[in-house]
Amino acid sequence: MQIPFSAFNAIPYWMEYQEKKPLIHCMTNHVVQNFTANVILATGGSPAMIPDINECGEFTAIASSLLINVGTLTERAAAAMIHSATTAHETGTPWVLDPVGIGPALYYRTSIVAELLALKPTVIRGNPAEIMVLAGVEAKAQGVDSEEDVESAFEYAEQVARDLGVVVAMTGKYAV
């Protein structure tokens, strides 16, 4: 199996990112919020966390992109995420969906992710188990950690990318 993307393909995009210094609206889980902000700052972007439904849509409209991570999902957060994703869809703002922990054990979160998928994310970022669930395949996970390996989920990542017309970024260990 060959990975269809290399670091060399990313160089022009990386340079453009650093030149533009994008404003990135992050609706992310509390566990990684500080880490996410620091990585965006360290790479030249500008992070903002606007979680309230009364402001998030308007902020999404002026942001360069939107990140939605459903890791610590609440009903209130879900409503705000759907509102921001709707705005991104309407304005053509690129956005990333991280469907943390989806699967049959977490029905509510999985149903929210289904609503978000209907709003056409630009990129889906997930571990092998999350990607397999999106492909409609049973997958093993321990909480939010995948017990599936990248190699076994690669064909499902390709399927999700084709079926949904998105870029799929799959996390996890890959043996080269």
Side-chain angles (χ1 to χ4, degrees):
M1 170 180 45
Q2 185 177 18
I3 296 178
F5 184 82
S6 74
F8 295 112
N9 298 99
I11 291 172
Y13 300 105
W14 177 251
M15 292 173 65
E16 181 181 358
Y17 172 88
Q18 290 188 314
E19 286 171 18
K20 289 188 175 181
K21 300 181 186 325
L23 175 60
I24 303 170
H25 182 196
C26 304
M27 301 183 86
T28 188
N29 83 61
H30 308 305
V31 176
V32 299
Q33 198 168 38
N34 189 53
F35 178 77
T36 301
N38 285 331
V39 167
I40 291 169
L41 286 168
T43 58
S46 180
M49 288 30 175
I50 312 294
D52 192 87
I53 197 163
N54 294 305
E55 297 179 324
C56 65
E58 291 84 354
F59 194 80
T60 298
I62 64 167
S64 303
S65 62
L66 169 67
L67 165 64
I68 293 179
N69 171 314
V70 299
T72 51
L73 194 63
T74 64
E75 191 173 339
R76 184 179 213 164
M81 290 173 177
I82 291 168
H83 183 60
S84 283
T86 299
T87 301
H89 180 70
E90 291 170 352
T91 60
T93 301
W95 69 282
V96 176
L97 173 61
D98 189 347
V100 177
I102 61 167
L106 297 172
Y107 175 77
Y108 176 72
R109 153 188 329 262
T110 303
S111 68
I112 295 301
V113 166
E115 286 185 57
L116 290 166
L117 287 171
L119 296 166
K120 308 288 184 198
T122 311
V123 176
I124 295 173
R125 175 217 180 270
N127 67 37
E130 293 158 352
I131 299 303
M132 290 172 73
V133 169
L134 290 176
V137 175
E138 221 174 278
K140 295 177 190 165
Q142 175 86 16
V144 298
D145 295 322
S146 177
E147 291 185 3
E148 304 290 349
D149 59 71
V150 172
E151 289 90 353
S152 65
F154 191 77
E155 70 180 285
Y156 301 112
E158 289 179 321
Q159 176 190 330
V160 170
R162 272 193 315 272
D163 291 352
L164 300 177
V166 299
V167 172
V168 173
M170 188 165 45
T171 61
K173 187 177 180 180
Y174 182 76
V176 179

PDB file of all heavy atoms in Angstrom, residues 70-106:
ATOM      1  N   VAL A  70     -15.675  17.034  18.502  1.00  0.00           N
ATOM      2  CA  VAL A  70     -16.812  16.695  19.365  1.00  0.00           C
ATOM      3  C   VAL A  70     -16.412  15.906  20.614  1.00  0.00           C
ATOM      4  O   VAL A  70     -17.252  15.262  21.237  1.00  0.00           O
ATOM      5  CB  VAL A  70     -17.913  15.933  18.583  1.00  0.00           C
ATOM      6  CG1 VAL A  70     -18.454  16.774  17.449  1.00  0.00           C
ATOM      7  CG2 VAL A  70     -17.404  14.585  18.083  1.00  0.00           C
ATOM      8  N   GLY A  71     -15.165  16.021  21.039  1.00  0.00           N
ATOM      9  CA  GLY A  71     -14.647  15.217  22.147  1.00  0.00           C
ATOM     10  C   GLY A  71     -15.350  15.368  23.478  1.00  0.00           C
ATOM     11  O   GLY A  71     -15.552  14.393  24.173  1.00  0.00           O
ATOM     12  N   THR A  72     -15.709  16.577  23.867  1.00  0.00           N
ATOM     13  CA  THR A  72     -16.415  16.775  25.138  1.00  0.00           C
ATOM     14  C   THR A  72     -17.768  17.408  24.831  1.00  0.00           C
ATOM     15  O   THR A  72     -18.089  18.497  25.294  1.00  0.00           O
ATOM     16  CB  THR A  72     -15.598  17.653  26.124  1.00  0.00           C
ATOM     17  OG1 THR A  72     -15.198  18.851  25.464  1.00  0.00           O
ATOM     18  CG2 THR A  72     -14.372  16.919  26.631  1.00  0.00           C
ATOM     19  N   LEU A  73     -18.559  16.698  24.085  1.00  0.00           N
ATOM     20  CA  LEU A  73     -19.824  17.204  23.562  1.00  0.00           C
ATOM     21  C   LEU A  73     -20.895  17.346  24.645  1.00  0.00           C
ATOM     22  O   LEU A  73     -21.072  16.462  25.478  1.00  0.00           O
ATOM     23  CB  LEU A  73     -20.328  16.256  22.468  1.00  0.00           C
ATOM     24  CG  LEU A  73     -21.433  16.774  21.579  1.00  0.00           C
ATOM     25  CD1 LEU A  73     -20.969  17.990  20.786  1.00  0.00           C
ATOM     26  CD2 LEU A  73     -21.882  15.679  20.624  1.00  0.00           C
ATOM     27  N   THR A  74     -21.575  18.476  24.600  1.00  0.00           N
ATOM     28  CA  THR A  74     -22.761  18.710  25.420  1.00  0.00           C
ATOM     29  C   THR A  74     -23.868  19.153  24.473  1.00  0.00           C
ATOM     30  O   THR A  74     -23.614  19.502  23.314  1.00  0.00           O
ATOM     31  CB  THR A  74     -22.522  19.825  26.455  1.00  0.00           C
ATOM     32  OG1 THR A  74     -22.291  21.060  25.754  1.00  0.00           O
ATOM     33  CG2 THR A  74     -21.354  19.507  27.373  1.00  0.00           C
ATOM     34  N   GLU A  75     -25.084  19.173  24.962  1.00  0.00           N
ATOM     35  CA  GLU A  75     -26.201  19.616  24.120  1.00  0.00           C
ATOM     36  C   GLU A  75     -25.996  21.057  23.663  1.00  0.00           C
ATOM     37  O   GLU A  75     -26.221  21.390  22.501  1.00  0.00           O
ATOM     38  CB  GLU A  75     -27.508  19.475  24.900  1.00  0.00           C
ATOM     39  CG  GLU A  75     -28.746  19.660  24.048  1.00  0.00           C
ATOM     40  CD  GLU A  75     -30.021  19.346  24.823  1.00  0.00           C
ATOM     41  OE1 GLU A  75     -29.969  18.629  25.837  1.00  0.00           O
ATOM     42  OE2 GLU A  75     -31.070  19.852  24.387  1.00  0.00           O
ATOM     43  N   ARG A  76     -25.555  21.891  24.575  1.00  0.00           N
ATOM     44  CA  ARG A  76     -25.313  23.305  24.253  1.00  0.00           C
ATOM     45  C   ARG A  76     -24.190  23.451  23.214  1.00  0.00           C
ATOM     46  O   ARG A  76     -24.295  24.224  22.268  1.00  0.00           O
ATOM     47  CB  ARG A  76     -24.958  24.038  25.533  1.00  0.00           C
ATOM     48  CG  ARG A  76     -24.771  25.499  25.382  1.00  0.00           C
ATOM     49  CD  ARG A  76     -24.439  26.111  26.717  1.00  0.00           C
ATOM     50  NE  ARG A  76     -25.010  27.428  26.761  1.00  0.00           N
ATOM     51  CZ  ARG A  76     -25.175  28.132  27.832  1.00  0.00           C
ATOM     52  NH1 ARG A  76     -24.829  27.642  28.996  1.00  0.00           N
ATOM     53  NH2 ARG A  76     -25.670  29.337  27.768  1.00  0.00           N
ATOM     54  N   ALA A  77     -23.099  22.703  23.416  1.00  0.00           N
ATOM     55  CA  ALA A  77     -21.979  22.752  22.473  1.00  0.00           C
ATOM     56  C   ALA A  77     -22.404  22.220  21.111  1.00  0.00           C
ATOM     57  O   ALA A  77     -22.021  22.782  20.072  1.00  0.00           O
ATOM     58  CB  ALA A  77     -20.797  21.951  23.007  1.00  0.00           C
ATOM     59  N   ALA A  78     -23.199  21.160  21.087  1.00  0.00           N
ATOM     60  CA  ALA A  78     -23.662  20.582  19.822  1.00  0.00           C
ATOM     61  C   ALA A  78     -24.472  21.597  19.028  1.00  0.00           C
ATOM     62  O   ALA A  78     -24.289  21.740  17.812  1.00  0.00           O
ATOM     63  CB  ALA A  78     -24.487  19.324  20.078  1.00  0.00           C
ATOM     64  N   ALA A  79     -25.352  22.323  19.691  1.00  0.00           N
ATOM     65  CA  ALA A  79     -26.164  23.338  19.001  1.00  0.00           C
ATOM     66  C   ALA A  79     -25.266  24.420  18.409  1.00  0.00           C
ATOM     67  O   ALA A  79     -25.475  24.862  17.265  1.00  0.00           O
ATOM     68  CB  ALA A  79     -27.179  23.947  19.965  1.00  0.00           C
ATOM     69  N   ALA A  80     -24.268  24.847  19.159  1.00  0.00           N
ATOM     70  CA  ALA A  80     -23.344  25.876  18.664  1.00  0.00           C
ATOM     71  C   ALA A  80     -22.513  25.342  17.500  1.00  0.00           C
ATOM     72  O   ALA A  80     -22.282  26.052  16.511  1.00  0.00           O
ATOM     73  CB  ALA A  80     -22.447  26.364  19.799  1.00  0.00           C
ATOM     74  N   MET A  81     -22.068  24.093  17.587  1.00  0.00           N
ATOM     75  CA  MET A  81     -21.287  23.498  16.504  1.00  0.00           C
ATOM     76  C   MET A  81     -22.096  23.404  15.223  1.00  0.00           C
ATOM     77  O   MET A  81     -21.610  23.722  14.135  1.00  0.00           O
ATOM     78  CB  MET A  81     -20.778  22.121  16.914  1.00  0.00           C
ATOM     79  CG  MET A  81     -19.702  22.165  17.969  1.00  0.00           C
ATOM     80  SD  MET A  81     -19.302  20.490  18.552  1.00  0.00           S
ATOM     81  CE  MET A  81     -17.977  20.849  19.673  1.00  0.00           C
ATOM     82  N   ILE A  82     -23.339  22.975  15.342  1.00  0.00           N
ATOM     83  CA  ILE A  82     -24.209  22.883  14.156  1.00  0.00           C
ATOM     84  C   ILE A  82     -24.449  24.275  13.578  1.00  0.00           C
ATOM     85  O   ILE A  82     -24.427  24.461  12.356  1.00  0.00           O
ATOM     86  CB  ILE A  82     -25.522  22.154  14.508  1.00  0.00           C
ATOM     87  CG1 ILE A  82     -25.229  20.674  14.778  1.00  0.00           C
ATOM     88  CG2 ILE A  82     -26.565  22.327  13.407  1.00  0.00           C
ATOM     89  CD1 ILE A  82     -26.369  19.913  15.418  1.00  0.00           C
ATOM     90  N   HIS A  83     -24.643  25.267  14.443  1.00  0.00           N
ATOM     91  CA  HIS A  83     -24.824  26.643  13.989  1.00  0.00           C
ATOM     92  C   HIS A  83     -23.593  27.141  13.221  1.00  0.00           C
ATOM     93  O   HIS A  83     -23.714  27.712  12.128  1.00  0.00           O
ATOM     94  CB  HIS A  83     -25.124  27.537  15.201  1.00  0.00           C
ATOM     95  CG  HIS A  83     -25.395  28.957  14.870  1.00  0.00           C
ATOM     96  ND1 HIS A  83     -26.442  29.358  14.058  1.00  0.00           N
ATOM     97  CD2 HIS A  83     -24.761  30.095  15.248  1.00  0.00           C
ATOM     98  CE1 HIS A  83     -26.436  30.678  13.947  1.00  0.00           C
ATOM     99  NE2 HIS A  83     -25.413  31.145  14.659  1.00  0.00           N
ATOM    100  N   SER A  84     -22.405  26.904  13.767  1.00  0.00           N
ATOM    101  CA  SER A  84     -21.178  27.338  13.093  1.00  0.00           C
ATOM    102  C   SER A  84     -20.946  26.564  11.795  1.00  0.00           C
ATOM    103  O   SER A  84     -20.537  27.148  10.792  1.00  0.00           O
ATOM    104  CB  SER A  84     -19.969  27.183  14.019  1.00  0.00           C
ATOM    105  OG  SER A  84     -19.950  28.233  14.950  1.00  0.00           O
ATOM    106  N   ALA A  85     -21.193  25.266  11.802  1.00  0.00           N
ATOM    107  CA  ALA A  85     -21.023  24.475  10.578  1.00  0.00           C
ATOM    108  C   ALA A  85     -22.011  24.916   9.503  1.00  0.00           C
ATOM    109  O   ALA A  85     -21.666  24.947   8.322  1.00  0.00           O
ATOM    110  CB  ALA A  85     -21.187  22.986  10.882  1.00  0.00           C
ATOM    111  N   THR A  86     -23.211  25.287   9.908  1.00  0.00           N
ATOM    112  CA  THR A  86     -24.200  25.809   8.953  1.00  0.00           C
ATOM    113  C   THR A  86     -23.688  27.103   8.327  1.00  0.00           C
ATOM    114  O   THR A  86     -23.763  27.290   7.108  1.00  0.00           O
ATOM    115  CB  THR A  86     -25.558  26.039   9.649  1.00  0.00           C
ATOM    116  OG1 THR A  86     -26.026  24.785  10.159  1.00  0.00           O
ATOM    117  CG2 THR A  86     -26.588  26.627   8.702  1.00  0.00           C
ATOM    118  N   THR A  87     -23.147  27.980   9.166  1.00  0.00           N
ATOM    119  CA  THR A  87     -22.576  29.226   8.660  1.00  0.00           C
ATOM    120  C   THR A  87     -21.420  28.947   7.708  1.00  0.00           C
ATOM    121  O   THR A  87     -21.334  29.552   6.635  1.00  0.00           O
ATOM    122  CB  THR A  87     -22.105  30.127   9.825  1.00  0.00           C
ATOM    123  OG1 THR A  87     -23.217  30.414  10.663  1.00  0.00           O
ATOM    124  CG2 THR A  87     -21.494  31.422   9.319  1.00  0.00           C
ATOM    125  N   ALA A  88     -20.538  28.041   8.089  1.00  0.00           N
ATOM    126  CA  ALA A  88     -19.409  27.686   7.220  1.00  0.00           C
ATOM    127  C   ALA A  88     -19.903  27.148   5.881  1.00  0.00           C
ATOM    128  O   ALA A  88     -19.390  27.519   4.821  1.00  0.00           O
ATOM    129  CB  ALA A  88     -18.507  26.660   7.909  1.00  0.00           C
ATOM    130  N   HIS A  89     -20.911  26.305   5.917  1.00  0.00           N
ATOM    131  CA  HIS A  89     -21.485  25.744   4.691  1.00  0.00           C
ATOM    132  C   HIS A  89     -22.061  26.854   3.810  1.00  0.00           C
ATOM    133  O   HIS A  89     -21.833  26.875   2.600  1.00  0.00           O
ATOM    134  CB  HIS A  89     -22.551  24.710   5.052  1.00  0.00           C
ATOM    135  CG  HIS A  89     -23.205  24.070   3.878  1.00  0.00           C
ATOM    136  ND1 HIS A  89     -22.540  23.197   3.053  1.00  0.00           N
ATOM    137  CD2 HIS A  89     -24.458  24.173   3.384  1.00  0.00           C
ATOM    138  CE1 HIS A  89     -23.364  22.792   2.096  1.00  0.00           C
ATOM    139  NE2 HIS A  89     -24.532  23.368   2.277  1.00  0.00           N
ATOM    140  N   GLU A  90     -22.785  27.772   4.421  1.00  0.00           N
ATOM    141  CA  GLU A  90     -23.428  28.864   3.670  1.00  0.00           C
ATOM    142  C   GLU A  90     -22.424  29.864   3.111  1.00  0.00           C
ATOM    143  O   GLU A  90     -22.648  30.435   2.043  1.00  0.00           O
ATOM    144  CB  GLU A  90     -24.436  29.582   4.566  1.00  0.00           C
ATOM    145  CG  GLU A  90     -25.652  28.742   4.897  1.00  0.00           C
ATOM    146  CD  GLU A  90     -26.545  29.350   5.975  1.00  0.00           C
ATOM    147  OE1 GLU A  90     -26.159  30.373   6.602  1.00  0.00           O
ATOM    148  OE2 GLU A  90     -27.628  28.776   6.210  1.00  0.00           O
ATOM    149  N   THR A  91     -21.332  30.099   3.821  1.00  0.00           N
ATOM    150  CA  THR A  91     -20.350  31.102   3.398  1.00  0.00           C
ATOM    151  C   THR A  91     -19.180  30.508   2.611  1.00  0.00           C
ATOM    152  O   THR A  91     -18.329  31.249   2.121  1.00  0.00           O
ATOM    153  CB  THR A  91     -19.775  31.863   4.618  1.00  0.00           C
ATOM    154  OG1 THR A  91     -19.135  30.927   5.484  1.00  0.00           O
ATOM    155  CG2 THR A  91     -20.864  32.629   5.356  1.00  0.00           C
ATOM    156  N   GLY A  92     -19.119  29.197   2.523  1.00  0.00           N
ATOM    157  CA  GLY A  92     -18.010  28.554   1.825  1.00  0.00           C
ATOM    158  C   GLY A  92     -16.722  28.545   2.627  1.00  0.00           C
ATOM    159  O   GLY A  92     -15.640  28.355   2.073  1.00  0.00           O
ATOM    160  N   THR A  93     -16.835  28.723   3.927  1.00  0.00           N
ATOM    161  CA  THR A  93     -15.663  28.689   4.800  1.00  0.00           C
ATOM    162  C   THR A  93     -15.212  27.242   4.966  1.00  0.00           C
ATOM    163  O   THR A  93     -16.014  26.386   5.342  1.00  0.00           O
ATOM    164  CB  THR A  93     -16.015  29.291   6.182  1.00  0.00           C
ATOM    165  OG1 THR A  93     -16.468  30.630   6.001  1.00  0.00           O
ATOM    166  CG2 THR A  93     -14.814  29.274   7.113  1.00  0.00           C
ATOM    167  N   PRO A  94     -13.953  26.939   4.669  1.00  0.00           N
ATOM    168  CA  PRO A  94     -13.501  25.551   4.851  1.00  0.00           C
ATOM    169  C   PRO A  94     -13.537  25.163   6.323  1.00  0.00           C
ATOM    170  O   PRO A  94     -13.272  25.994   7.191  1.00  0.00           O
ATOM    171  CB  PRO A  94     -12.062  25.570   4.326  1.00  0.00           C
ATOM    172  CG  PRO A  94     -11.663  26.986   4.242  1.00  0.00           C
ATOM    173  CD  PRO A  94     -12.898  27.824   4.205  1.00  0.00           C
ATOM    174  N   TRP A  95     -13.893  23.888   6.557  1.00  0.00           N
ATOM    175  CA  TRP A  95     -13.945  23.452   7.955  1.00  0.00           C
ATOM    176  C   TRP A  95     -13.571  21.988   8.111  1.00  0.00           C
ATOM    177  O   TRP A  95     -13.719  21.189   7.193  1.00  0.00           O
ATOM    178  CB  TRP A  95     -15.273  23.793   8.595  1.00  0.00           C
ATOM    179  CG  TRP A  95     -16.502  23.058   8.148  1.00  0.00           C
ATOM    180  CD1 TRP A  95     -17.229  23.273   7.007  1.00  0.00           C
ATOM    181  CD2 TRP A  95     -17.184  22.026   8.859  1.00  0.00           C
ATOM    182  NE1 TRP A  95     -18.302  22.427   6.982  1.00  0.00           N
ATOM    183  CE2 TRP A  95     -18.314  21.660   8.104  1.00  0.00           C
ATOM    184  CE3 TRP A  95     -16.949  21.391  10.075  1.00  0.00           C
ATOM    185  CZ2 TRP A  95     -19.204  20.678   8.514  1.00  0.00           C
ATOM    186  CZ3 TRP A  95     -17.837  20.405  10.491  1.00  0.00           C
ATOM    187  CH2 TRP A  95     -18.952  20.065   9.716  1.00  0.00           C
ATOM    188  N   VAL A  96     -13.057  21.701   9.316  1.00  0.00           N
ATOM    189  CA  VAL A  96     -12.581  20.369   9.669  1.00  0.00           C
ATOM    190  C   VAL A  96     -13.498  19.780  10.729  1.00  0.00           C
ATOM    191  O   VAL A  96     -13.845  20.444  11.703  1.00  0.00           O
ATOM    192  CB  VAL A  96     -11.142  20.446  10.235  1.00  0.00           C
ATOM    193  CG1 VAL A  96     -10.662  19.069  10.691  1.00  0.00           C
ATOM    194  CG2 VAL A  96     -10.190  21.046   9.211  1.00  0.00           C
ATOM    195  N   LEU A  97     -13.860  18.520  10.534  1.00  0.00           N
ATOM    196  CA  LEU A  97     -14.657  17.785  11.517  1.00  0.00           C
ATOM    197  C   LEU A  97     -13.801  16.678  12.119  1.00  0.00           C
ATOM    198  O   LEU A  97     -13.246  15.851  11.396  1.00  0.00           O
ATOM    199  CB  LEU A  97     -15.904  17.180  10.869  1.00  0.00           C
ATOM    200  CG  LEU A  97     -16.737  16.252  11.760  1.00  0.00           C
ATOM    201  CD1 LEU A  97     -17.269  16.989  12.992  1.00  0.00           C
ATOM    202  CD2 LEU A  97     -17.887  15.645  10.962  1.00  0.00           C
ATOM    203  N   ASP A  98     -13.697  16.671  13.430  1.00  0.00           N
ATOM    204  CA  ASP A  98     -13.009  15.611  14.165  1.00  0.00           C
ATOM    205  C   ASP A  98     -14.076  14.858  14.960  1.00  0.00           C
ATOM    206  O   ASP A  98     -14.525  15.321  16.008  1.00  0.00           O
ATOM    207  CB  ASP A  98     -11.959  16.216  15.091  1.00  0.00           C
ATOM    208  CG  ASP A  98     -11.051  15.166  15.726  1.00  0.00           C
ATOM    209  OD1 ASP A  98     -11.380  13.959  15.648  1.00  0.00           O
ATOM    210  OD2 ASP A  98     -10.032  15.559  16.316  1.00  0.00           O
ATOM    211  N   PRO A  99     -14.515  13.691  14.457  1.00  0.00           N
ATOM    212  CA  PRO A  99     -15.633  12.953  15.062  1.00  0.00           C
ATOM    213  C   PRO A  99     -15.205  12.068  16.231  1.00  0.00           C
ATOM    214  O   PRO A  99     -15.402  10.851  16.228  1.00  0.00           O
ATOM    215  CB  PRO A  99     -16.146  12.122  13.888  1.00  0.00           C
ATOM    216  CG  PRO A  99     -14.908  11.806  13.111  1.00  0.00           C
ATOM    217  CD  PRO A  99     -14.037  13.042  13.235  1.00  0.00           C
ATOM    218  N   VAL A 100     -14.643  12.662  17.251  1.00  0.00           N
ATOM    219  CA  VAL A 100     -14.053  11.941  18.381  1.00  0.00           C
ATOM    220  C   VAL A 100     -15.055  10.984  19.033  1.00  0.00           C
ATOM    221  O   VAL A 100     -16.141  11.392  19.444  1.00  0.00           O
ATOM    222  CB  VAL A 100     -13.527  12.936  19.441  1.00  0.00           C
ATOM    223  CG1 VAL A 100     -12.979  12.200  20.655  1.00  0.00           C
ATOM    224  CG2 VAL A 100     -12.478  13.854  18.839  1.00  0.00           C
ATOM    225  N   GLY A 101     -14.668   9.723  19.098  1.00  0.00           N
ATOM    226  CA  GLY A 101     -15.423   8.736  19.863  1.00  0.00           C
ATOM    227  C   GLY A 101     -16.742   8.280  19.281  1.00  0.00           C
ATOM    228  O   GLY A 101     -17.549   7.678  19.995  1.00  0.00           O
ATOM    229  N   ILE A 102     -16.989   8.534  17.992  1.00  0.00           N
ATOM    230  CA  ILE A 102     -18.280   8.100  17.441  1.00  0.00           C
ATOM    231  C   ILE A 102     -18.361   6.582  17.379  1.00  0.00           C
ATOM    232  O   ILE A 102     -17.351   5.896  17.333  1.00  0.00           O
ATOM    233  CB  ILE A 102     -18.559   8.708  16.048  1.00  0.00           C
ATOM    234  CG1 ILE A 102     -17.502   8.272  15.031  1.00  0.00           C
ATOM    235  CG2 ILE A 102     -18.688  10.211  16.143  1.00  0.00           C
ATOM    236  CD1 ILE A 102     -17.877   8.576  13.602  1.00  0.00           C
ATOM    237  N   GLY A 103     -19.571   6.089  17.388  1.00  0.00           N
ATOM    238  CA  GLY A 103     -19.805   4.655  17.318  1.00  0.00           C
ATOM    239  C   GLY A 103     -21.065   4.288  18.070  1.00  0.00           C
ATOM    240  O   GLY A 103     -21.720   5.142  18.667  1.00  0.00           O
ATOM    241  N   PRO A 104     -21.414   3.021  18.065  1.00  0.00           N
ATOM    242  CA  PRO A 104     -22.683   2.582  18.647  1.00  0.00           C
ATOM    243  C   PRO A 104     -22.808   2.825  20.149  1.00  0.00           C
ATOM    244  O   PRO A 104     -23.916   2.984  20.658  1.00  0.00           O
ATOM    245  CB  PRO A 104     -22.727   1.086  18.320  1.00  0.00           C
ATOM    246  CG  PRO A 104     -21.341   0.691  17.987  1.00  0.00           C
ATOM    247  CD  PRO A 104     -20.653   1.919  17.480  1.00  0.00           C
ATOM    248  N   ALA A 105     -21.694   2.914  20.869  1.00  0.00           N
ATOM    249  CA  ALA A 105     -21.780   3.137  22.320  1.00  0.00           C
ATOM    250  C   ALA A 105     -22.154   4.572  22.659  1.00  0.00           C
ATOM    251  O   ALA A 105     -22.652   4.839  23.743  1.00  0.00           O
ATOM    252  CB  ALA A 105     -20.459   2.771  22.986  1.00  0.00           C
ATOM    253  N   LEU A 106     -21.918   5.493  21.746  1.00  0.00           N
ATOM    254  CA  LEU A 106     -22.186   6.913  21.985  1.00  0.00           C
ATOM    255  C   LEU A 106     -23.150   7.429  20.917  1.00  0.00           C
ATOM    256  O   LEU A 106     -22.772   8.175  20.014  1.00  0.00           O
ATOM    257  CB  LEU A 106     -20.874   7.710  22.009  1.00  0.00           C
ATOM    258  CG  LEU A 106     -19.908   7.313  23.125  1.00  0.00           C
ATOM    259  CD1 LEU A 106     -18.562   8.005  22.953  1.00  0.00           C
ATOM    260  CD2 LEU A 106     -20.495   7.632  24.494  1.00  0.00           C
TER     261      LEU A 106
END
